[in-house]
Amino acid sequence: MSGVKIIPIGKPLTVRQRLLESLGDVLARQGFDGLTLEAVVKEVGLTRTVVLRHFQNLDDMVTALGQSPGFWPPVAELQDGVPGRFAAMPPQAQLAHFFKATIRGLLARPRTLDIMAWELLSRNRYSRLLEYPRVRRSLEFFETVTGEVPESLDLTAVVAVLGGAAMFLAVRSRQSGVFGGLNLYDDGDRDRVDKVLDLLVAGILRQGGDG
């Protein structure tokens, strides 16, 4: 049992969380290629038997990581800052708030940004398992949007383009500090991005309504 840490089995949630954190650390450090259950077992310092008491297999663990609030901001967090008044905001403000809140949520999760940087370099079933919960989280958010959104507006494409840009900027700010003269960790630069998002969403909705 040398090197094996003893964690009380009577606290499964604590063990699960430590396992997910260890999985996140492995992914952030070495990416998706060659990811194995053994690497996670070594990282957390538990036996394979203990790990498999909490997750069926590595796929199950990766899925759970993607669904965890520590990896991706939940809808409640994305709406934080406007409690009780989100539904009263005009549609363009609600949509813009999604992208702005996503940026802030990601900047608060540096390990997630490191993992997303690896996604740009390699794709496999594990990276796809992390994607599915993100898509569902976005759908959950947009189900809360109130007001009139033009039926002709291709909202899926809008979210893909603006969401992709937001995530890329967050990843680049984490990796290199500055992209295009902007550092999203700087409050002033982040405010500039917020204003551009407001303008873009307002313009998109206006054009969609004209169409």
Side-chain angles (χ1 to χ4, degrees):
M1 293 187 61
S2 176
V4 176
K5 303 173 187 175
I6 304 301
I7 298 178
I9 303 305
K11 298 182 178 179
L13 293 179
T14 300
V15 176
R16 281 178 64 91
Q17 186 58 40
R18 290 196 59 177
L19 288 168
L20 293 180
E21 289 180 357
S22 295
L23 170 60
D25 288 340
V26 171
L27 283 173
R29 188 171 61 246
Q30 66 187 44
F32 296 92
D33 291 342
L35 176 66
T36 63
L37 186 62
E38 285 67 29
V40 181
V41 168
K42 182 178 179 180
E43 181 77 17
V44 74
L46 296 172
T47 66
R48 182 186 179 94
T49 300
V50 171
V51 173
L52 292 178
R53 288 175 186 167
H54 299 277
F55 297 98
Q56 297 178 10
N57 48 40
L58 185 56
D59 285 24
D60 185 34
M61 193 183 301
V62 173
T63 299
L65 175 65
Q67 295 172 342
S68 67
F71 179 77
W72 201 262
V75 173
E77 180 182 336
L78 294 177
Q79 292 183 350
D80 190 31
V82 288
R85 62 185 182 88
F86 180 80
M89 295 166 60
Q92 64 267 25
Q94 293 181 3
L95 296 180
H97 183 79
F98 169 77
F99 301 112
K100 292 185 282 188
T102 296
I103 288 174
R104 283 163 172 75
L106 291 177
L107 294 177
R109 293 167 170 80
R111 184 168 51 193
T112 296
L113 292 175
D114 289 342
I115 294 172
M116 292 175 68
W118 284 106
E119 286 184 10
L120 301 175
L121 300 176
S122 61
R123 300 279 298 154
N124 60 23
R125 75 174 189 274
Y126 299 124
S127 63
R128 288 190 289 273
L129 286 173
L130 283 184
E131 270 189 13
Y132 299 146
R134 298 203 301 251
V135 174
R136 286 198 298 271
R137 204 72 57 83
S138 297
L139 292 175
E140 290 173 10
F141 180 93
F142 285 106
E143 287 177 356
T144 70
V145 172
T146 58
E148 293 295 328
V149 175
E151 292 184 4
S152 59
L153 180 66
D154 189 345
L155 191 57
T156 300
V158 170
V159 173
V161 172
L162 295 184
M167 288 187 286
F168 180 78
L169 281 174
V171 170
R172 284 298 300 266
S173 290
R174 165 70 175 167
Q175 296 295 314
S176 58
V178 177
F179 177 75
L182 295 172
N183 179 358
L184 294 188
Y185 287 99
D186 179 85
D187 291 342
D189 285 351
R190 202 167 55 249
D191 287 343
R192 292 169 62 191
V193 171
D194 286 352
K195 291 176 181 177
V196 169
L197 285 168
D198 287 333
L199 292 172
L200 287 173
V201 172
I204 289 169
L205 288 181
R206 184 168 54 252
Q207 291 295 321
D210 293 342

